[in-house]
Every structure is written in structure tokens, then in C-alpha cells.
Amino acid sequence: MRVVLAEDSVLFRQGLARLLADVGITVAAETGDAAALPALIAADPPDVLIADVRMPPGHGADGLDAARLVRERHPDVGVLVLSHHIEAHHAIGLLGDDARGVGYLLKDRVSDVAELTDALHRVNAGAAVIDPEVVIRLVGGRNGGRGGALGRLSERERQVLALMAEGRSNQAIGRRLHLSPKTVESHVRGIFERLGLPVAADDHRRVLAVLTYLRS
């Protein structure tokens, strides 16, 4: 896999590049300026772009804006955006109407190399990857916290929902939470019933259904 890194912190960027190289992922190019990113991608499109939300030249959401532009111009390039803070509106803005090949992770996840590489491979394969902490914030904000629809979910169901919105299959959720396949299926059915969402067999459609509900 080939990636492009867009991160203005030189130390963080170099550390991330070293981590990726250690697991066999090639860093094709790096930049610390969001304004340079579209041309860099156009010159040699990678498999995945990894971009910080906040970057020069404006130090606002320049990295996120550049990532959106890359998605528009290069739909085959996966995009994984990193952020120091939970900014749910940025996650929703990045997803737009098509969640395929898009990811939004907190920078704390980068310290878990297995988690990061798994996210990159899933984004590269066309899945949506949303940080579980962001999912919980989105659900809580949309439903008024534990007193709304989220309050009708058990703690286990909220854990399943977070993993489901990350794009995890039932099998992967079962492995993560040490649950049997039948138990996971039961939790998923319960979640969709409580949130008023249609059951969908396709994993990607499940993610889109959850995110559509959260955006409404």
C-alpha cells in the first residue's frame, strides 16, 4: 500500500512515517501544507491519503478541506483524516453522501499500530472507518444522550453500535467483544429496531444507515 502523509507537525509526521514503514506501508510523499496537497495527489495518486484536520496555511480545517477536494477529484484514493479532538461535524462533513473509502480517527489511535494499519487497509478496501469515540459523541448528540434513543440501548449494544459504525463485520465485532455470532446478530437486530433503522445484510449499507440516522 502507498500513502501520502499531510501533517504540519514534523515530529509527528516523521514518527508516523516510521511506524508505517515498519509494517510494510510505503510513504510515497509527505507535506506540511494543505495547499500543496491537491497537486501532490494529482502528480502521483496513492492508495490512501492520511491528512490532519488542522493544517497551514490557515491553521483551520485546511487539511479537511483539502481531503474533501481529493475525494472529489480522485474518488479511487482512500482518505483517512486524523484529529486531536472529537469534532463530530468534521466527520459528518467528510463523509458527505458517500462513506466509501473514508476514515476519521483521533490521533490517539495512531499509537496503536495494529488499529491504524487495520483502518488504512479497510479504507483502502472501500470501507468507512469512524473512531468509536466520535460515534458515541454523534449518537449522544443526535439523541440527547442516555435520555434519548441511545438511552434505550444497553451498554453492550452501544459498544456494538460503535464497532458497527466503524465498518466492522459481525464476525469482527464478535472477536473484539468476545461474543458468539448469534449474540452479535441479536444485538444488531435490537439496535436497528430501537433506532428505527432498516436491517441490511450488506456491511457497507449498515454503516450508511447508521450515519444517515446520525446526520438526520
Side-chain angles (χ1 to χ4, degrees):
M1 184 192 304
R2 298 171 64 255
V3 304
V4 166
L5 294 182
E7 164 65 56
D8 60 308
S9 169
V10 176
L11 289 177
F12 184 86
R13 190 172 71 237
Q14 290 178 343
L16 181 54
R18 190 174 300 112
L19 285 175
L20 294 174
D22 287 344
V23 294
I25 295 176
T26 300
V27 178
E30 303 177 24
T31 182
D33 187 346
L37 191 52
L40 191 64
I41 297 294
D44 186 16
D47 296 307
V48 179
L49 162 66
I50 303 175
D52 189 5
V53 168
R54 300 188 180 280
M55 292 180 65
H59 294 281
D62 297 57
L64 180 66
D65 292 340
R68 287 174 178 164
L69 187 59
V70 168
R71 271 179 60 75
E72 292 174 7
R73 295 180 178 177
H74 308 277
D76 292 334
V77 175
V79 173
L80 179 63
V81 170
L82 304 178
S83 177
H84 271 303
H85 309 288
I86 297 176
E87 297 174 289
H89 60 291
H90 285 161
I92 293 175
L94 176 67
L95 291 164
D97 295 323
D98 189 349
R100 289 173 294 184
V102 190
Y104 185 98
L105 292 182
L106 296 178
K107 283 191 172 181
D108 288 346
R109 300 284 171 203
V110 174
S111 61
D112 187 334
V113 180
E115 188 80 14
L116 175 63
T117 54
D118 178 64
L120 284 169
H121 284 294
R122 286 192 289 127
V123 166
N124 187 39
V129 178
I130 309 299
D131 195 288
E133 293 298 325
V134 175
V135 173
I136 294 301
R137 177 67 61 86
L138 283 168
V139 175
R142 168 63 178 82
N143 299 299
R146 294 177 182 269
L150 183 62
R152 295 196 291 272
L153 302 182
S154 68
E155 181 64 28
R156 180 63 85 187
E157 285 173 336
R158 285 194 290 272
Q159 292 171 347
V160 171
L161 174 61
L163 291 171
M164 209 166 66
E166 284 186 77
R168 307 282 182 176
S169 66
N170 283 2
Q171 291 80 2
I173 293 172
R175 288 193 298 270
R176 178 67 68 87
L177 299 178
H178 306 292
L179 300 174
S180 70
K182 287 187 177 181
T183 300
V184 174
E185 290 173 7
S186 176
H187 285 316
V188 170
R189 285 195 301 270
I191 289 167
F192 278 124
E193 289 173 4
R194 288 169 175 75
L195 297 184
L197 294 169
V199 177
D202 181 75
D203 202 40
H204 174 61
R205 288 177 61 203
R206 296 194 317 171
V207 175
L208 292 180
V210 173
L211 293 173
T212 297
Y213 177 77
L214 296 175
R215 284 197 292 258
S216 65

